[in-house]
Amino acid sequence: AQKVTQTQTSISVMEKTTVTMDCVYETQDSSYFLFWYKQTASGEIVFLIRQDSYKKENATVGHYSLNFQKPKSSIGLIITATQIEDSAVYFCAMREGGTGGYKVVFGSGTRLLVSP
Amino acid sequence: EAAVTQSPRNKVAVTGGKVTLSCNQTNNHNNMYWYRQDTGHGLRLIHYSYGAGSTEKGDIPDGYKASRPSQENFSLILELATPSQTSVYFCASGTGGYEQYFGPGTRLTVL
């Protein structure tokens, strides 16, 4: 069964620095998709970035990028030049690529606090 | 406008009562999902749907039913609500099994 683990419960950084959030996953599939979502203080959940397992290049969107280490089953989220508004809870998620369905499993989340 | 809406946003129910949470999406996505969020557990999948008329069990379906009468609407039904079902419930829509778009959530308290 698929599983996603985020061991960092919370991280505190200073504004304008770079932060990396860790995520490891377990899957039997050779094809899968990895996602990061952000949940703001208001409770809103938004999609940030996706990595397809068959792609070797790390995905990048704005000041979010991924560190995909397939042999380690690891997908880290890197936020560069952090801003106060990046303070939120970040969830890692995975969907297996088989035809059995589109179930997505989420990690327990990492709370990021960005201070001025 | 918000593409995924949920109603009600807050609900207080009594133990043993029936609760229906509604979700509507204007994204024209085939897939819709119901999750619950509890401290320390992240988001856990209750039920999902591939399209109108279909429902599938997620990882924690016990005590919940789902209904997808149309492309736009997906309901979560608690026939006999229990205090353990007190949680925040999120609906989401998506296409092709890729990124999902979430509603604002419903806070349910079962007394």
Side-chain angles (χ1 to χ4, degrees):
Chain A
Q2 54 186 3
K3 184 178 179 181
V4 174
T5 302
Q6 294 178 255
T7 57
Q8 301 160 303
T9 55
S10 66
I11 300 174
S12 293
V13 301
M14 300 299 292
E15 191 180 15
K16 301 179 184 176
T17 60
T18 295
V19 63
T20 298
M21 283 175 266
D22 301 328
C23 175
V24 293
Y25 56 90
E26 296 176 23
T27 179
Q28 303 299 319
D29 269 16
S30 58
S31 173
Y32 49 90
F33 305 87
L34 300 162
F35 310 88
W36 280 90
Y37 289 83
K38 172 184 179 182
Q39 185 173 32
T40 63
S42 67
E44 181 185 18
I45 301 172
V46 296
F47 163 74
L48 294 178
I49 191 168
R50 180 183 106 206
Q51 178 77 39
D52 300 350
S53 64
Y54 61 86
K55 292 186 177 179
K56 294 185 177 180
E57 304 78 22
N58 290 319
T60 298
V61 176
H63 75 143
Y64 302 108
S65 60
L66 298 177
N67 180 18
F68 180 41
Q69 299 184 59
K70 196 169 183 179
K72 295 184 178 181
S73 296
S74 170
I75 183 75
L77 173 68
I78 303 167
I79 307 177
T80 57
T82 52
Q83 304 163 9
I84 301 297
E85 51 266 35
D86 290 325
S87 296
V89 178
Y90 291 81
F91 292 100
C92 177
M94 176 177 68
R95 182 215 130 194
E96 291 176 331
T99 56
Y102 298 138
K103 284 178 58 174
V104 176
V105 174
F106 283 77
S108 57
T110 296
R111 182 176 300 277
L112 175 66
L113 176 63
V114 181
S115 301
Chain B
E1 309 109 34
V4 181
T5 56
Q6 295 181 229
S7 63
R9 294 293 314 278
N10 290 281
K11 173 75 176 178
V12 179
V14 296
T15 298
K18 181 177 181 178
V19 177
T20 300
L21 306 183
S22 299
C23 178
N24 176 274
Q25 57 107 353
T26 58
N27 295 321
N28 197 32
H29 288 160
N30 289 332
N31 305 322
M32 294 187 75
Y33 308 81
W34 275 107
Y35 296 90
R36 64 178 283 176
Q37 182 176 32
D38 304 287
T39 303
H41 287 282
L43 292 158
R44 293 184 290 174
L45 182 64
I46 305 170
H47 284 287
Y48 60 108
S49 168
Y50 296 125
S54 87
T55 60
E56 303 289 336
K57 293 181 179 180
D59 296 319
I60 53 165
D62 293 345
Y64 302 94
K65 291 184 179 178
S67 173
R68 181 89 182 270
S70 65
Q71 176 84 339
E72 297 79 19
N73 295 296
F74 191 37
S75 297
L76 185 68
I77 303 152
L78 291 67
E79 295 278 4
L80 294 170
T82 69
S84 64
Q85 294 175 313
T86 293
S87 187
V88 180
Y89 292 85
F90 285 95
C91 175
S93 73
T95 184
Y98 298 119
E99 47 267 28
Q100 298 178 22
Y101 298 86
F102 284 81
T106 294
R107 183 173 298 276
L108 173 66
T109 302
V110 183
L111 302 175

